[in-house]
């Protein structure tokens, strides 16, 4: 007696964000940026420093490159979890 094989439907692979129905803003591939006026910027999701001097800081943020221009810019804190910039930020630009 031959067995009939049942075809199982192909499993769809979903990301954790899709499964939990989280907004893209909470995705680890998208940087999260908070500002305290123009004196302090907190970035979650920074993956590296591309350029650093007191007039310009350029950061790799995964899907974006973030550039900050101003004066007296300092990276106060840098870790895999959070980066904090201080100084007088006069310009922010985003590159894909």
């Amino acid at each position: 007696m031959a067995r009939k094989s049942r075809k199982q439907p192909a499993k769809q692979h979903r990301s954790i964000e899709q499964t939990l129905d989280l907004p893209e803003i909470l995705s680890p591939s998208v940087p999260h940026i908070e500002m305290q006026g123009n004196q302090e910027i907190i970035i979650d999701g920074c993956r590296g420093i591309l350029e650093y001097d007191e007039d310009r800081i350029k950061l790799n943020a995964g899907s974006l490159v973030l550039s900050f221009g101003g004066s007296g810019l300092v990276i106060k804190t840098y870790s895999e979890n959070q980066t904090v910039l201080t100084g007088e930020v006069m310009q922010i630009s985003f590159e894909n």
Side-chain angles (χ1 to χ4, degrees):
M1 184 178 218
R3 283 185 149 195
K4 288 185 180 179
S5 65
R6 290 189 204 176
K7 272 193 168 181
Q8 297 290 329
K11 290 185 179 181
Q12 293 181 351
H13 296 284
R14 294 173 45 148
S15 69
I16 291 173
E17 291 85 8
Q18 291 171 329
T19 303
L20 297 176
D21 198 26
L22 294 175
E24 186 176 344
I25 195 166
L26 298 178
S27 169
S29 64
V30 177
H32 178 86
I33 303 166
E34 292 184 27
M35 296 179 63
Q36 302 293 324
N38 72 332
Q39 302 296 309
E40 182 178 74
I41 299 177
I42 302 163
I43 304 115
D44 295 336
C46 179
R47 297 184 179 168
I49 301 168
L50 303 173
E51 185 178 335
Y52 181 25
D53 64 41
E54 66 180 28
D55 298 329
R56 175 173 293 287
I57 296 176
K58 199 171 195 179
L59 303 173
N60 174 359
S63 60
L64 292 172
V65 172
L66 307 173
S67 295
F68 303 91
S71 60
L73 300 178
V74 174
I75 296 177
K76 185 176 175 182
T77 305
Y78 177 78
S79 73
E80 65 182 54
N81 297 324
Q82 193 172 74
T83 302
V84 179
L85 311 179
T86 60
E88 187 175 1
V89 179
M90 300 306 292
Q91 177 186 17
I92 301 172
S93 63
F94 305 89
E95 302 170 31
N96 288 327

